[in-house]
Amino acid sequence: MRALTESVAWNNLQQHACAAKQQHLAALFAQDPQRFKRFSFQQGSLLLDLSKQRISIETVELLLQLAAQQELPARIEALFRGDIVNCSEQRPALHTALREPEGTVVRVDGKNIVPDIQRNLVRMKVLVDAIHSQQWRGYAGDAIDTIVCIGVGGSDLGPVMTCRALAEFAPEPAAHLKMHFVSSMDGSQLARELQKLIPERTLFIVASKSFSTIDTMANASTARAWLEKYTDAPVEVLLERHFIGISATAARMTEWGIHPEHQLEMWSWVGGRFSMWSAIGLPVALHIGYQGFLRLLEGAHQMDLHFRHSRLEQNLPVLLALTEIWNINFLGIHAHAILPYDGRLQHLPAYLEQLQMESNGKSTTRHNQSVSYRTCPVLWGEIGPNAQHAFYQLLHQGTEDVMCDFVVSARRYSHRKNDELRHQHHLAQANLLAQSRLLAFGDHALPPDAHTPAYKRYAGNQPSTTILLDQLTPETFGQLIALYEHKVFVQAMVWDINPFDQWGVEQGKVMATQLMPVLTDSSVALDAELDSSTANLVRAIRHEQKQENI
Ligand code: F6P
């Protein structure tokens, strides 16, 4: 098979890039008054503006040829159909099935999985109703008013992001619930919460696809020990009244002590970072209500339908993905900033870091060959206005090319009679528009002044995408996240990598397990093969620990 970089479509893009690299965004806009119309795309309540990307009509045509060459339409269909798209683990990746309405058929190994998904949703609803109606009681008969969600990675980032983003949609019955999220391995978040929590009224949700992730299991054990130390109530009662488990491995939940009726299922065909639509989303359903959770699924489903059925040239996830491929592989841009101009989207950057870097941070193709091109760039982000006071200096005047995603809603606070807050929203919007403009056009957007010293100049030409939601609702948020999920998939297909495995995170866990004994028992001899840095750091830790014990 011909390597991607030797293919006709790739070579055409490379040649095209030689000239395109010289072009400034200011010139591209000056040449084409229709640029916004040409390169902005509406789907449902979401507007994707790609006009501030360094693309032309020809660029898009060539990128679409690359997508066709990589058989993108067939691969999209294979994803939705439930083919084994995760080749290293021999699994489908069916997060889209989690958003399918009742009555749809999606088969895995010949079995329609949609009824199982619907049954699980009903079980989620039963739990949500019991907690909201205060029927769920702790061991001493008190109603639950505090939920502590324990998980990490995909079992944490999606729920925490969504709960924070959509908090204002919390229905009345959820108003009494306080939600806490605990993920850090060292126990610092949990320790802080445990000081304030009332055991009789606290419910822990332990979410882990594998139910073996050491970070999560350590936090869960600490929580369980905390309850056991607090009361003499039988441990079975504590486990039954104070823990819900969510996992793809029921046996491990049972072994840990989760009551069978309080176990929620997920499946091996849902990847961790794609799992917020499954039972992993229980905290979301508790926080914004079960109906709110269904609205979220519906929004994502609308994006699924668009992605599956639209032509490539009108397809938002495809166009977004290809534009970034242009930046990464042909313009040489290897940093990507995520900049929501909305405090509710505070956790979006962290979520997208995992979604994109764990999915596409790969250097081996699906056919086990090393790639000879760049894949996922380094991604980071922050609430945009806060980032303006932190790292925008580098974006404007540093030496790195960076592509940016700006995300904002058109309307906010409209249901409130609060002029001050509406003013603050306009302030955020004005800042977004100003920043994306200055990044794109630099000095070209400013009045000419020959005397401006170099340190006050702006080169511009930093490409950006703006995503405008009409307003932030469960539906539009579902659309937004599904847009990003599908973008990641498209990029992986073009790069011919598997976005659904994460072998790169495994070896570190094994090594940590091997190192544990030398830290917990000072009589254990250090491995003679250990490198001198690690060995001496262990010695330094042991020395400090010895001082502590004197
Ligand atoms: O170590 C990485 C990872 O496996 C992620 O892919 C996953 O989202 C996270 O750990 C948590 O895994 P689990 O849900 O099995 O606890």
Side-chain angles (χ1 to χ4, degrees), residues 203-361:
L203 175 65
F204 295 94
I205 299 177
V206 185
S208 171
K209 180 179 174 186
S210 59
F211 226 72
S212 64
T213 303
I214 196 76
D215 321 46
T216 299
M217 301 327 293
N219 276 322
S221 296
T222 301
R224 178 177 158 166
W226 172 76
L227 273 171
E228 287 179 34
K229 276 182 209 148
Y230 181 81
T231 165
D232 291 335
V235 68
E236 308 77 57
V237 176
L238 294 179
L239 286 167
E240 185 193 343
R241 304 314 309 160
H242 293 273
F243 286 91
I244 289 175
I246 307 165
S247 178
T249 50
R252 286 198 189 135
M253 287 196 276
T254 306
E255 196 187 324
W256 194 85
I258 304 281
H259 192 277
E261 278 177 28
H262 301 156
Q263 296 181 5
L264 285 172
E265 196 184 358
M266 60 184 290
W267 300 274
S268 62
W269 44 258
V270 192
R273 53 194 171 273
F274 297 87
S275 66
M276 60 176 253
W277 324 97
S278 70
I280 291 290
L282 179 68
V284 178
L286 282 168
H287 198 46
I288 66 165
Y290 179 72
Q291 291 308 322
F293 186 66
L294 293 187
R295 288 174 62 190
L296 179 78
L297 297 186
E298 174 54 24
H301 180 60
Q302 289 309 318
M303 186 54 76
D304 294 341
L305 292 174
H306 166 75
F307 179 53
R308 188 175 188 177
H309 299 297
S310 301
R311 297 165 58 83
L312 297 188
E313 59 269 30
Q314 289 297 325
N315 197 312
L316 272 64
V318 172
L319 293 164
L320 181 60
L322 293 177
T323 308
E324 289 176 13
I325 284 179
W326 169 244
N327 289 337
I328 298 160
N329 297 115
F330 302 98
L331 298 184
I333 303 176
H334 307 303
H336 190 161
I338 305 295
L339 305 163
Y341 273 67
D342 187 325
R344 296 172 295 181
L345 301 180
Q346 179 185 7
H347 293 269
L348 181 68
Y351 178 83
L352 293 182
E353 283 163 17
Q354 189 205 15
L355 179 66
Q356 304 194 41
M357 295 199 279
E358 200 174 71
S359 297
N360 286 347

